[in-house]
Structures are given as C-alpha cells and as structure tokens.
Amino acid sequence: MSETPRKVVVIGAGIAGLCTAVYARKCGYEVEVVEQHDAVGGLATSWHRGDYTFETCLHWLVGSNPDGAMHAQWQEVFDVDKLTFVYPEEFVRLETEHGETLRMYSDIDRLEAELLQEAPQDAAEIRHFAAALRRFAKFPMPDPTEPWPRKGLALLRVLPHLPLLRSWSKLSIGEYGKRFSHKLLRAFFADGDLGKLSMLAILFTFAWMSERNAAYVVGGAQAIIRPIRARLEQLGGRLRLGAKVEKILVEHDAAVGVQLGGGETIAADWAISAADGHATIYEMLGGKYTDAITTKTYATLETFPSYMQVSLGVAREFPRQAGYVMRVLDTPLALDPDTELRSLALRFFHFDPTFAPPGKTAVTCFLPTRNVAFWTDLQRRDPTRYQAEKQRVAEVVIAILERMVPDVRKSIEVTDVSTPATVIRYTNNWKGSMEGWLMTPATGARMLRNTLPGLRQFLMVGHWVAPGGGLPSGVVTARSAVRTLCKQDRVEFAGH
C-alpha cells in the first residue's frame, strides 16, 4: 500500500456495514461509515420505553461455541467471548387455546423423545427428522469467504454430505410439515410465510443449538452491535450518523464517493453499500448498472415479510412460560385487510435481566404481514386511524395473552406498537422486509453476487447478498467484500 491509504466509504451502519468497516480498517484502509439514522444497528436493534427494553431482532447468535462455525469470524470483528450466552432448553413451545402443548427441545435426544411421546402416529417421520438433525450437527460448514486452495479443501470435506444437502434443500418447511398428522407438529412446520423457507433453515438451527453453537445473547442484538462499533472507533474508523446518502458518485463507471442530502460529497476510492439493495441499485445509482440477472432477482425472488410488533412491559414474572411460545389460535387474528394470522409468536424475556427491573418482564409479540402499503398509507394519510389500528391490534394481543395468563392486563405498565411503516422509517428496507431475501428451495443457500455489471470500485454487503439474512450474513458478506477489494488493490487481508 502507498503511504496515503486508500479510502472506503460504507453506506449503512447495520451489522454488515459495521463489520465491513472493521475489516477494511484492519487492512489499512481509511474508512468512513455514513448512516441515515441517529443510531447504529439497522434492523439489529431494540428500544427503551420507561424501565423496559424491547428487542426486535435477536433470537439466537450462531457462533457461540468456540469450536463451532462462525466463532472465528465474529472474533475478527469483536471479542465474542465477552458475551453472556443463554442456551434455551426449549427452542419453542407450541400451545393451543385448549391446553394442548408440544415442546420443541434444543437437545435432539429430548426433542425426539418428546415428539414420539406426543405424536406416536408420526413415529417414522419423527425418527427420520431426528436422524437428519444428528447428521447436520456434524456437518463441516465451509467458509465461503476463504480463498483457494483452502476453500477447495473445505468443499472436499463437504462432498460426502452433498446427497443429504440436496435432498433436504429441495423441500420447503411448509411442504415438509404435511408429512405429519399431529396438529401442533403441522403448525410448527407450516407457519405462514416462514413455511416457504428451505428445510435447511430448520435443520441447521436445531443442529447448531444442539451443539451449543447457537444461543441467545444477554442484552440482545445491541450487545453485539456496541462492541463492533467500539472496535471500529478503536481502530480509527469514522462514523457519521444522521447522514443519508442520496447518490453514489460515479466517474468513468467507477464509484468515487457518495453525495449526502444537502449536497455534501464524500470522496472515496471504494463505495460499499450495506444499505437497502433496491434503494442502492435503483435510487442511489439510478438503475444504470443493471442487467437481466439484476432485474430478475428483484422481480422474482421473494423477500421476508414485514411485521408488526406489540411490546408489553409487564410488572410480574412468568416462571412457567417458555421464553418463546407459538400460540395456535382458534379464531385467526385479523391484522390488516389482507392478513389473517392463525398463530402468534410470543417472547417472554425472563431470561434477559437487562430488559426489565427485578420482578418485571418484557414481552413481545411478532406479527408478520405483507400488506406494507396499508400501514404506510394509513400513517401518511390518516394518522388518527393509524393510531387506532395500532391500539386495536394491541388489544387483541393482550386479550390472547390474558387467556394464557389470567389477570395479566392489570400488570401491564407499558404498551408499544411498531408497524411496517416504523420499519421503513428507521431502516428504509425494501417492502419493510425483516431480513431481505427468503432462503427458499429455489434460491438455496448460495450467495448472490456482490457486484453490479459495468460498475467498478463498488461492492454490496448484507442480507440482499445472502438469502436467509440473519446476523451471520453481516460478517460473512463483509469478510467476502473486503477480501475482494484487498485482492484488487494487492493488499494483505487481515483475517484469522
């Protein structure tokens, strides 16, 4: 490298943008991160209401086991070993409104025993599922960011597992659920839009949990974001908040910086977008650098749905509740004109003492919807009705919760409701999506390209590059992108 280091401007300070900035700074680049919001984290966030903190992102972090997949990558961007992990006994507990219960344990042996006891009529498929989980628990996960020949050696280790991968990757969760006759097992494997996910998502989740390589982090997503930000600042990277990028500057088909709202420009040798993919391509770059692949990707691939979240601060404890509960409803919940939900996902954060004072609990209810236009239009055109609809949904959720926990209403101190309009306002994520592209049997687990046709000195990172999203996509795509720019600039990559 020359005495004057090359400069990278990173658009967006979510998990992918922060990880990208850390890697680039470790490799000697001058780095400036620009973020439209007044806080870092993007979708990996939480917020405070009185004495309570409400989490909207983290269910588990892959990489909690020092000997497992992803741990080494996290260690490159922050000290993951300083986190406090919670390993849930139950991944999720399913309940009906008639007292029927099914526990989906994190431990494979306990899970198999529970399912065989509760659904003996499905014994053959249960044993088949458990056997697959045990095989996936030993799967030698390759690192897609490694260069050749190490990548080649990793792929050789995967070869014996390819028939297993191929057979399960062709199945969606919803399709697989039809193999069971037990009501709650079918409900678990066919949960609305998420039932469109590839079965690989379920298999790897249980496999990692059973190996103690996927765990909840006390403090939620911000407990991960904060130390990555601190590492960036320690390395001398610059972070600018409240700075919205309106345009990526291009000269002779090479990115040379960005233009902020108000006209200010930031010159750079590389531009890396960790922002929304659709806005990056069609707004910041004006749709100039596209081809048939780009057009097909954004026209045909399916995004994760958007969501509402009802968050409650409750002045009581819930010692008998699982941390994560799927409540199967007798009567579907009418969320908006196009959305009816047959189950609710409830989280009782009694396992995180940082989210509420002693004797109190933060409770959240996740409500997916694709009717983003209804909520954004309502917020813009009729704020009074918008607030009324939020209150209506909150009341329905509280009524359902009270059937689970009698007299809970009188203990509720705080009620907070976010909508798809909230998601868009804070993150600008296309369609208010919670995680970018769904990893369906059609998309598989392959990474999408992180470049645009005809544009040099530009890369993309985040969940618009890695179907399936999640926090790991941030560090994986960041690592891959910085490896690319190091290779082009003939700079040594500072990895493991």
Side-chain angles (χ1 to χ4, degrees), residues 283-312:
E283 295 175 23
M284 298 180 201
L285 286 165
K288 181 177 179 181
Y289 297 96
T290 63
D291 58 9
I293 295 175
T294 312
T295 302
K296 183 178 180 180
T297 296
Y298 281 85
T300 62
L301 292 195
E302 195 159 6
T303 64
F304 277 89
S306 191
Y307 64 98
M308 293 186 70
Q309 180 168 306
V310 176
S311 305
L312 306 171

PDB file of all heavy atoms in Angstrom, residues 283-312:
ATOM      1  N   GLU A 283     -32.115   3.744  -6.828  1.00  0.00           N
ATOM      2  CA  GLU A 283     -32.194   5.146  -6.413  1.00  0.00           C
ATOM      3  C   GLU A 283     -30.804   5.776  -6.345  1.00  0.00           C
ATOM      4  O   GLU A 283     -30.522   6.745  -7.057  1.00  0.00           O
ATOM      5  CB  GLU A 283     -32.906   5.254  -5.059  1.00  0.00           C
ATOM      6  CG  GLU A 283     -34.363   4.820  -5.106  1.00  0.00           C
ATOM      7  CD  GLU A 283     -35.029   4.807  -3.739  1.00  0.00           C
ATOM      8  OE1 GLU A 283     -34.543   5.515  -2.833  1.00  0.00           O
ATOM      9  OE2 GLU A 283     -36.026   4.071  -3.574  1.00  0.00           O
ATOM     10  N   MET A 284     -29.919   5.231  -5.532  1.00  0.00           N
ATOM     11  CA  MET A 284     -28.591   5.839  -5.385  1.00  0.00           C
ATOM     12  C   MET A 284     -27.774   5.756  -6.666  1.00  0.00           C
ATOM     13  O   MET A 284     -26.929   6.613  -6.932  1.00  0.00           O
ATOM     14  CB  MET A 284     -27.818   5.152  -4.247  1.00  0.00           C
ATOM     15  CG  MET A 284     -28.458   5.285  -2.883  1.00  0.00           C
ATOM     16  SD  MET A 284     -27.466   4.427  -1.623  1.00  0.00           S
ATOM     17  CE  MET A 284     -28.718   4.184  -0.352  1.00  0.00           C
ATOM     18  N   LEU A 285     -28.031   4.720  -7.472  1.00  0.00           N
ATOM     19  CA  LEU A 285     -27.319   4.571  -8.746  1.00  0.00           C
ATOM     20  C   LEU A 285     -28.238   4.790  -9.947  1.00  0.00           C
ATOM     21  O   LEU A 285     -27.819   4.613 -11.099  1.00  0.00           O
ATOM     22  CB  LEU A 285     -26.673   3.186  -8.830  1.00  0.00           C
ATOM     23  CG  LEU A 285     -25.434   2.995  -7.946  1.00  0.00           C
ATOM     24  CD1 LEU A 285     -25.097   1.515  -7.806  1.00  0.00           C
ATOM     25  CD2 LEU A 285     -24.246   3.768  -8.508  1.00  0.00           C
ATOM     26  N   GLY A 286     -29.491   5.147  -9.692  1.00  0.00           N
ATOM     27  CA  GLY A 286     -30.416   5.492 -10.764  1.00  0.00           C
ATOM     28  C   GLY A 286     -30.770   4.357 -11.699  1.00  0.00           C
ATOM     29  O   GLY A 286     -31.253   4.595 -12.823  1.00  0.00           O
ATOM     30  N   GLY A 287     -30.540   3.094 -11.294  1.00  0.00           N
ATOM     31  CA  GLY A 287     -30.874   1.957 -12.146  1.00  0.00           C
ATOM     32  C   GLY A 287     -29.972   1.789 -13.350  1.00  0.00           C
ATOM     33  O   GLY A 287     -30.272   0.996 -14.250  1.00  0.00           O
ATOM     34  N   LYS A 288     -28.834   2.494 -13.376  1.00  0.00           N
ATOM     35  CA  LYS A 288     -27.968   2.460 -14.558  1.00  0.00           C
ATOM     36  C   LYS A 288     -27.192   1.152 -14.666  1.00  0.00           C
ATOM     37  O   LYS A 288     -26.963   0.649 -15.780  1.00  0.00           O
ATOM     38  CB  LYS A 288     -26.986   3.639 -14.519  1.00  0.00           C
ATOM     39  CG  LYS A 288     -26.059   3.712 -15.723  1.00  0.00           C
ATOM     40  CD  LYS A 288     -25.150   4.930 -15.665  1.00  0.00           C
ATOM     41  CE  LYS A 288     -24.210   4.970 -16.878  1.00  0.00           C
ATOM     42  NZ  LYS A 288     -23.303   6.138 -16.825  1.00  0.00           N
ATOM     43  N   TYR A 289     -26.788   0.591 -13.535  1.00  0.00           N
ATOM     44  CA  TYR A 289     -25.913  -0.579 -13.564  1.00  0.00           C
ATOM     45  C   TYR A 289     -26.704  -1.847 -13.234  1.00  0.00           C
ATOM     46  O   TYR A 289     -26.603  -2.407 -12.146  1.00  0.00           O
ATOM     47  CB  TYR A 289     -24.732  -0.380 -12.621  1.00  0.00           C
ATOM     48  CG  TYR A 289     -23.869   0.776 -13.052  1.00  0.00           C
ATOM     49  CD1 TYR A 289     -24.045   2.047 -12.489  1.00  0.00           C
ATOM     50  CD2 TYR A 289     -22.933   0.626 -14.070  1.00  0.00           C
ATOM     51  CE1 TYR A 289     -23.278   3.121 -12.911  1.00  0.00           C
ATOM     52  CE2 TYR A 289     -22.157   1.701 -14.503  1.00  0.00           C
ATOM     53  CZ  TYR A 289     -22.338   2.945 -13.925  1.00  0.00           C
ATOM     54  OH  TYR A 289     -21.585   4.003 -14.357  1.00  0.00           O
ATOM     55  N   THR A 290     -27.510  -2.259 -14.173  1.00  0.00           N
ATOM     56  CA  THR A 290     -28.323  -3.458 -14.029  1.00  0.00           C
ATOM     57  C   THR A 290     -28.212  -4.301 -15.288  1.00  0.00           C
ATOM     58  O   THR A 290     -27.752  -3.837 -16.331  1.00  0.00           O
ATOM     59  CB  THR A 290     -29.810  -3.115 -13.795  1.00  0.00           C
ATOM     60  OG1 THR A 290     -30.309  -2.420 -14.947  1.00  0.00           O
ATOM     61  CG2 THR A 290     -29.986  -2.251 -12.560  1.00  0.00           C
ATOM     62  N   ASP A 291     -28.636  -5.546 -15.161  1.00  0.00           N
ATOM     63  CA  ASP A 291     -28.723  -6.428 -16.315  1.00  0.00           C
ATOM     64  C   ASP A 291     -29.891  -7.376 -16.088  1.00  0.00           C
ATOM     65  O   ASP A 291     -30.684  -7.194 -15.153  1.00  0.00           O
ATOM     66  CB  ASP A 291     -27.404  -7.189 -16.548  1.00  0.00           C
ATOM     67  CG  ASP A 291     -26.991  -8.023 -15.336  1.00  0.00           C
ATOM     68  OD1 ASP A 291     -27.799  -8.158 -14.385  1.00  0.00           O
ATOM     69  OD2 ASP A 291     -25.864  -8.549 -15.336  1.00  0.00           O
ATOM     70  N   ALA A 292     -30.000  -8.391 -16.919  1.00  0.00           N
ATOM     71  CA  ALA A 292     -31.129  -9.317 -16.808  1.00  0.00           C
ATOM     72  C   ALA A 292     -31.137 -10.036 -15.466  1.00  0.00           C
ATOM     73  O   ALA A 292     -32.206 -10.298 -14.896  1.00  0.00           O
ATOM     74  CB  ALA A 292     -31.079 -10.335 -17.953  1.00  0.00           C
ATOM     75  N   ILE A 293     -29.952 -10.340 -14.934  1.00  0.00           N
ATOM     76  CA  ILE A 293     -29.878 -11.031 -13.646  1.00  0.00           C
ATOM     77  C   ILE A 293     -30.400 -10.136 -12.529  1.00  0.00           C
ATOM     78  O   ILE A 293     -31.186 -10.563 -11.674  1.00  0.00           O
ATOM     79  CB  ILE A 293     -28.425 -11.470 -13.359  1.00  0.00           C
ATOM     80  CG1 ILE A 293     -27.978 -12.518 -14.374  1.00  0.00           C
ATOM     81  CG2 ILE A 293     -28.293 -12.006 -11.931  1.00  0.00           C
ATOM     82  CD1 ILE A 293     -26.521 -12.914 -14.251  1.00  0.00           C
ATOM     83  N   THR A 294     -29.975  -8.884 -12.536  1.00  0.00           N
ATOM     84  CA  THR A 294     -30.445  -7.938 -11.516  1.00  0.00           C
ATOM     85  C   THR A 294     -31.954  -7.781 -11.588  1.00  0.00           C
ATOM     86  O   THR A 294     -32.653  -7.845 -10.569  1.00  0.00           O
ATOM     87  CB  THR A 294     -29.787  -6.564 -11.722  1.00  0.00           C
ATOM     88  OG1 THR A 294     -28.381  -6.707 -11.891  1.00  0.00           O
ATOM     89  CG2 THR A 294     -30.067  -5.648 -10.540  1.00  0.00           C
ATOM     90  N   THR A 295     -32.454  -7.561 -12.792  1.00  0.00           N
ATOM     91  CA  THR A 295     -33.890  -7.358 -12.980  1.00  0.00           C
ATOM     92  C   THR A 295     -34.681  -8.576 -12.514  1.00  0.00           C
ATOM     93  O   THR A 295     -35.696  -8.451 -11.808  1.00  0.00           O
ATOM     94  CB  THR A 295     -34.200  -7.073 -14.459  1.00  0.00           C
ATOM     95  OG1 THR A 295     -33.464  -5.920 -14.873  1.00  0.00           O
ATOM     96  CG2 THR A 295     -35.683  -6.827 -14.666  1.00  0.00           C
ATOM     97  N   LYS A 296     -34.209  -9.763 -12.882  1.00  0.00           N
ATOM     98  CA  LYS A 296     -34.901 -10.986 -12.494  1.00  0.00           C
ATOM     99  C   LYS A 296     -34.857 -11.184 -10.983  1.00  0.00           C
ATOM    100  O   LYS A 296     -35.850 -11.602 -10.372  1.00  0.00           O
ATOM    101  CB  LYS A 296     -34.276 -12.187 -13.200  1.00  0.00           C
ATOM    102  CG  LYS A 296     -34.997 -13.498 -12.910  1.00  0.00           C
ATOM    103  CD  LYS A 296     -34.371 -14.655 -13.677  1.00  0.00           C
ATOM    104  CE  LYS A 296     -35.104 -15.961 -13.365  1.00  0.00           C
ATOM    105  NZ  LYS A 296     -34.507 -17.113 -14.095  1.00  0.00           N
ATOM    106  N   THR A 297     -33.729 -10.874 -10.377  1.00  0.00           N
ATOM    107  CA  THR A 297     -33.589 -11.039  -8.927  1.00  0.00           C
ATOM    108  C   THR A 297     -34.639 -10.228  -8.190  1.00  0.00           C
ATOM    109  O   THR A 297     -35.366 -10.742  -7.331  1.00  0.00           O
ATOM    110  CB  THR A 297     -32.179 -10.605  -8.470  1.00  0.00           C
ATOM    111  OG1 THR A 297     -31.207 -11.476  -9.057  1.00  0.00           O
ATOM    112  CG2 THR A 297     -32.060 -10.665  -6.956  1.00  0.00           C
ATOM    113  N   TYR A 298     -34.752  -8.946  -8.534  1.00  0.00           N
ATOM    114  CA  TYR A 298     -35.677  -8.073  -7.802  1.00  0.00           C
ATOM    115  C   TYR A 298     -37.127  -8.226  -8.261  1.00  0.00           C
ATOM    116  O   TYR A 298     -38.039  -7.771  -7.573  1.00  0.00           O
ATOM    117  CB  TYR A 298     -35.207  -6.620  -7.912  1.00  0.00           C
ATOM    118  CG  TYR A 298     -34.069  -6.346  -6.945  1.00  0.00           C
ATOM    119  CD1 TYR A 298     -32.753  -6.628  -7.292  1.00  0.00           C
ATOM    120  CD2 TYR A 298     -34.325  -5.858  -5.667  1.00  0.00           C
ATOM    121  CE1 TYR A 298     -31.713  -6.423  -6.397  1.00  0.00           C
ATOM    122  CE2 TYR A 298     -33.302  -5.648  -4.769  1.00  0.00           C
ATOM    123  CZ  TYR A 298     -32.000  -5.934  -5.133  1.00  0.00           C
ATOM    124  OH  TYR A 298     -30.980  -5.745  -4.241  1.00  0.00           O
ATOM    125  N   ALA A 299     -37.328  -8.909  -9.390  1.00  0.00           N
ATOM    126  CA  ALA A 299     -38.702  -9.136  -9.857  1.00  0.00           C
ATOM    127  C   ALA A 299     -39.274 -10.462  -9.372  1.00  0.00           C
ATOM    128  O   ALA A 299     -40.495 -10.599  -9.236  1.00  0.00           O
ATOM    129  CB  ALA A 299     -38.752  -9.086 -11.385  1.00  0.00           C
ATOM    130  N   THR A 300     -38.399 -11.455  -9.106  1.00  0.00           N
ATOM    131  CA  THR A 300     -38.910 -12.801  -8.841  1.00  0.00           C
ATOM    132  C   THR A 300     -38.576 -13.353  -7.463  1.00  0.00           C
ATOM    133  O   THR A 300     -39.351 -14.151  -6.926  1.00  0.00           O
ATOM    134  CB  THR A 300     -38.394 -13.793  -9.898  1.00  0.00           C
ATOM    135  OG1 THR A 300     -36.958 -13.867  -9.823  1.00  0.00           O
ATOM    136  CG2 THR A 300     -38.809 -13.356 -11.298  1.00  0.00           C
ATOM    137  N   LEU A 301     -37.432 -12.999  -6.892  1.00  0.00           N
ATOM    138  CA  LEU A 301     -37.097 -13.551  -5.576  1.00  0.00           C
ATOM    139  C   LEU A 301     -38.051 -12.995  -4.520  1.00  0.00           C
ATOM    140  O   LEU A 301     -38.487 -11.849  -4.603  1.00  0.00           O
ATOM    141  CB  LEU A 301     -35.655 -13.237  -5.188  1.00  0.00           C
ATOM    142  CG  LEU A 301     -34.542 -13.912  -5.989  1.00  0.00           C
ATOM    143  CD1 LEU A 301     -33.216 -13.797  -5.246  1.00  0.00           C
ATOM    144  CD2 LEU A 301     -34.854 -15.359  -6.295  1.00  0.00           C
ATOM    145  N   GLU A 302     -38.337 -13.818  -3.535  1.00  0.00           N
ATOM    146  CA  GLU A 302     -39.300 -13.432  -2.511  1.00  0.00           C
ATOM    147  C   GLU A 302     -38.576 -12.904  -1.279  1.00  0.00           C
ATOM    148  O   GLU A 302     -37.604 -13.499  -0.813  1.00  0.00           O
ATOM    149  CB  GLU A 302     -40.172 -14.624  -2.142  1.00  0.00           C
ATOM    150  CG  GLU A 302     -41.402 -14.232  -1.365  1.00  0.00           C
ATOM    151  CD  GLU A 302     -42.494 -15.283  -1.428  1.00  0.00           C
ATOM    152  OE1 GLU A 302     -42.249 -16.362  -1.989  1.00  0.00           O
ATOM    153  OE2 GLU A 302     -43.603 -15.022  -0.907  1.00  0.00           O
ATOM    154  N   THR A 303     -39.068 -11.799  -0.766  1.00  0.00           N
ATOM    155  CA  THR A 303     -38.488 -11.234   0.444  1.00  0.00           C
ATOM    156  C   THR A 303     -39.154 -11.831   1.689  1.00  0.00           C
ATOM    157  O   THR A 303     -40.252 -12.379   1.626  1.00  0.00           O
ATOM    158  CB  THR A 303     -38.682  -9.710   0.494  1.00  0.00           C
ATOM    159  OG1 THR A 303     -40.088  -9.422   0.558  1.00  0.00           O
ATOM    160  CG2 THR A 303     -38.075  -9.027  -0.710  1.00  0.00           C
ATOM    161  N   PHE A 304     -38.464 -11.720   2.817  1.00  0.00           N
ATOM    162  CA  PHE A 304     -39.130 -11.966   4.084  1.00  0.00           C
ATOM    163  C   PHE A 304     -40.276 -10.965   4.215  1.00  0.00           C
ATOM    164  O   PHE A 304     -40.190  -9.840   3.700  1.00  0.00           O
ATOM    165  CB  PHE A 304     -38.168 -11.749   5.249  1.00  0.00           C
ATOM    166  CG  PHE A 304     -37.290 -12.923   5.563  1.00  0.00           C
ATOM    167  CD1 PHE A 304     -36.067 -13.073   4.933  1.00  0.00           C
ATOM    168  CD2 PHE A 304     -37.675 -13.867   6.500  1.00  0.00           C
ATOM    169  CE1 PHE A 304     -35.240 -14.153   5.231  1.00  0.00           C
ATOM    170  CE2 PHE A 304     -36.865 -14.941   6.808  1.00  0.00           C
ATOM    171  CZ  PHE A 304     -35.641 -15.090   6.175  1.00  0.00           C
ATOM    172  N   PRO A 305     -41.335 -11.336   4.915  1.00  0.00           N
ATOM    173  CA  PRO A 305     -42.419 -10.356   5.123  1.00  0.00           C
ATOM    174  C   PRO A 305     -41.970  -9.229   6.023  1.00  0.00           C
ATOM    175  O   PRO A 305     -40.907  -9.298   6.661  1.00  0.00           O
ATOM    176  CB  PRO A 305     -43.509 -11.189   5.803  1.00  0.00           C
ATOM    177  CG  PRO A 305     -42.771 -12.284   6.488  1.00  0.00           C
ATOM    178  CD  PRO A 305     -41.605 -12.607   5.592  1.00  0.00           C
ATOM    179  N   SER A 306     -42.767  -8.188   6.070  1.00  0.00           N
ATOM    180  CA  SER A 306     -42.572  -7.158   7.080  1.00  0.00           C
ATOM    181  C   SER A 306     -43.299  -7.614   8.344  1.00  0.00           C
ATOM    182  O   SER A 306     -43.740  -8.773   8.427  1.00  0.00           O
ATOM    183  CB  SER A 306     -43.099  -5.814   6.593  1.00  0.00           C
ATOM    184  OG  SER A 306     -42.678  -4.779   7.466  1.00  0.00           O
ATOM    185  N   TYR A 307     -43.443  -6.716   9.315  1.00  0.00           N
ATOM    186  CA  TYR A 307     -44.057  -7.173  10.560  1.00  0.00           C
ATOM    187  C   TYR A 307     -44.527  -6.011  11.425  1.00  0.00           C
ATOM    188  O   TYR A 307     -44.054  -4.884  11.305  1.00  0.00           O
ATOM    189  CB  TYR A 307     -43.058  -8.011  11.366  1.00  0.00           C
ATOM    190  CG  TYR A 307     -41.839  -7.250  11.837  1.00  0.00           C
ATOM    191  CD1 TYR A 307     -41.770  -6.732  13.129  1.00  0.00           C
ATOM    192  CD2 TYR A 307     -40.750  -7.042  10.997  1.00  0.00           C
ATOM    193  CE1 TYR A 307     -40.660  -6.032  13.566  1.00  0.00           C
ATOM    194  CE2 TYR A 307     -39.642  -6.348  11.420  1.00  0.00           C
ATOM    195  CZ  TYR A 307     -39.592  -5.853  12.710  1.00  0.00           C
ATOM    196  OH  TYR A 307     -38.492  -5.145  13.132  1.00  0.00           O
ATOM    197  N   MET A 308     -45.483  -6.338  12.270  1.00  0.00           N
ATOM    198  CA  MET A 308     -45.834  -5.502  13.405  1.00  0.00           C
ATOM    199  C   MET A 308     -45.241  -6.162  14.646  1.00  0.00           C
ATOM    200  O   MET A 308     -45.011  -7.369  14.677  1.00  0.00           O
ATOM    201  CB  MET A 308     -47.347  -5.390  13.570  1.00  0.00           C
ATOM    202  CG  MET A 308     -48.043  -4.645  12.473  1.00  0.00           C
ATOM    203  SD  MET A 308     -49.806  -4.412  12.852  1.00  0.00           S
ATOM    204  CE  MET A 308     -49.737  -3.216  14.198  1.00  0.00           C
ATOM    205  N   GLN A 309     -45.005  -5.359  15.664  1.00  0.00           N
ATOM    206  CA  GLN A 309     -44.582  -5.911  16.949  1.00  0.00           C
ATOM    207  C   GLN A 309     -45.317  -5.190  18.063  1.00  0.00           C
ATOM    208  O   GLN A 309     -45.255  -3.968  18.163  1.00  0.00           O
ATOM    209  CB  GLN A 309     -43.073  -5.792  17.154  1.00  0.00           C
ATOM    210  CG  GLN A 309     -42.617  -6.360  18.505  1.00  0.00           C
ATOM    211  CD  GLN A 309     -41.113  -6.510  18.609  1.00  0.00           C
ATOM    212  OE1 GLN A 309     -40.477  -7.135  17.765  1.00  0.00           O
ATOM    213  NE2 GLN A 309     -40.538  -5.933  19.645  1.00  0.00           N
ATOM    214  N   VAL A 310     -46.026  -5.970  18.865  1.00  0.00           N
ATOM    215  CA  VAL A 310     -46.656  -5.440  20.063  1.00  0.00           C
ATOM    216  C   VAL A 310     -45.735  -5.779  21.234  1.00  0.00           C
ATOM    217  O   VAL A 310     -45.434  -6.953  21.470  1.00  0.00           O
ATOM    218  CB  VAL A 310     -48.052  -6.046  20.282  1.00  0.00           C
ATOM    219  CG1 VAL A 310     -48.646  -5.547  21.597  1.00  0.00           C
ATOM    220  CG2 VAL A 310     -48.968  -5.696  19.117  1.00  0.00           C
ATOM    221  N   SER A 311     -45.274  -4.758  21.935  1.00  0.00           N
ATOM    222  CA  SER A 311     -44.336  -4.940  23.042  1.00  0.00           C
ATOM    223  C   SER A 311     -44.987  -4.482  24.338  1.00  0.00           C
ATOM    224  O   SER A 311     -45.582  -3.395  24.386  1.00  0.00           O
ATOM    225  CB  SER A 311     -43.055  -4.148  22.792  1.00  0.00           C
ATOM    226  OG  SER A 311     -42.475  -4.491  21.548  1.00  0.00           O
ATOM    227  N   LEU A 312     -44.858  -5.300  25.361  1.00  0.00           N
ATOM    228  CA  LEU A 312     -45.511  -5.028  26.634  1.00  0.00           C
ATOM    229  C   LEU A 312     -44.503  -5.060  27.774  1.00  0.00           C
ATOM    230  O   LEU A 312     -43.681  -5.984  27.859  1.00  0.00           O
ATOM    231  CB  LEU A 312     -46.603  -6.072  26.908  1.00  0.00           C
ATOM    232  CG  LEU A 312     -47.659  -6.261  25.818  1.00  0.00           C
ATOM    233  CD1 LEU A 312     -48.526  -7.475  26.126  1.00  0.00           C
ATOM    234  CD2 LEU A 312     -48.515  -5.009  25.679  1.00  0.00           C
TER     235      LEU A 312
END
